[in-house]
């Protein structure tokens, strides 16, 4: 298992900058969406909304661009496909 993790980490290090930025922002979007809850205090909702707008506003569009740009790169496609935006 350590070998597959090392290969996975190494694959991420070798990715193009646009893909790295997308993966970073996609992780933030997923985290923030998991934090959202209607029962949160108003102030926390405002903060979360601002953070989500900053990181997530165009995430689906960026994912589609990367899919088109790197459609023939198996490693990149494996990295970005699990995200569902």
């Amino acid at each position: 298992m350590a070998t597959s993790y090392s290969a996975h980490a190494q694959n991420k290090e070798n990715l193009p900058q646009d893909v790295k930025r997308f993966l970073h922002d996609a992780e933030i979007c997923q985290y923030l969406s998991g934090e959202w809850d209607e029962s949160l205090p108003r102030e926390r909702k405002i903060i979360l909304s601002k953070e989500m707008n900053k990181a997530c506003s165009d995430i689906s569009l960026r994912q589609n661009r990367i899919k088109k740009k790197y459609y023939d790169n198996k490693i990149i496609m494996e990295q970005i496909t699990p995200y569902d935006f």
Side-chain angles (χ1 to χ4, degrees):
M1 186 182 272
T3 305
S4 65
Y5 174 76
S6 296
H8 180 71
Q10 184 178 21
N11 287 342
K12 280 193 171 189
E13 290 176 12
N14 295 327
L15 294 173
Q17 272 310 116
D18 58 341
V19 176
K20 286 181 185 179
R21 278 192 305 273
F22 167 78
L23 292 172
H24 175 265
D25 290 349
E27 287 292 324
I28 291 172
C29 290
Q30 283 195 331
Y31 173 79
L32 292 173
S33 66
E35 290 292 306
W36 183 264
D37 187 309
E38 284 299 320
S39 65
L40 290 172
R42 183 176 181 274
E43 294 84 24
R44 182 66 182 143
K45 286 181 186 179
I46 291 169
I47 291 168
L48 277 175
S49 291
K50 286 179 182 179
E51 290 176 10
M52 289 174 73
N53 285 337
K54 182 179 176 183
C56 309
S57 64
D58 65 346
I59 198 77
S60 180
L61 178 64
R62 289 170 51 202
Q63 184 181 34
N64 288 333
R65 275 193 227 135
I66 289 171
K67 282 182 178 180
K68 288 177 185 175
K69 185 176 180 180
Y70 300 106
Y71 71 93
D72 60 344
N73 186 314
K74 182 180 175 186
I75 293 169
I76 291 174
M77 294 305 288
E78 286 174 352
Q79 297 289 324
I80 66 168
T81 301
Y83 294 98
D84 184 24
F85 297 109

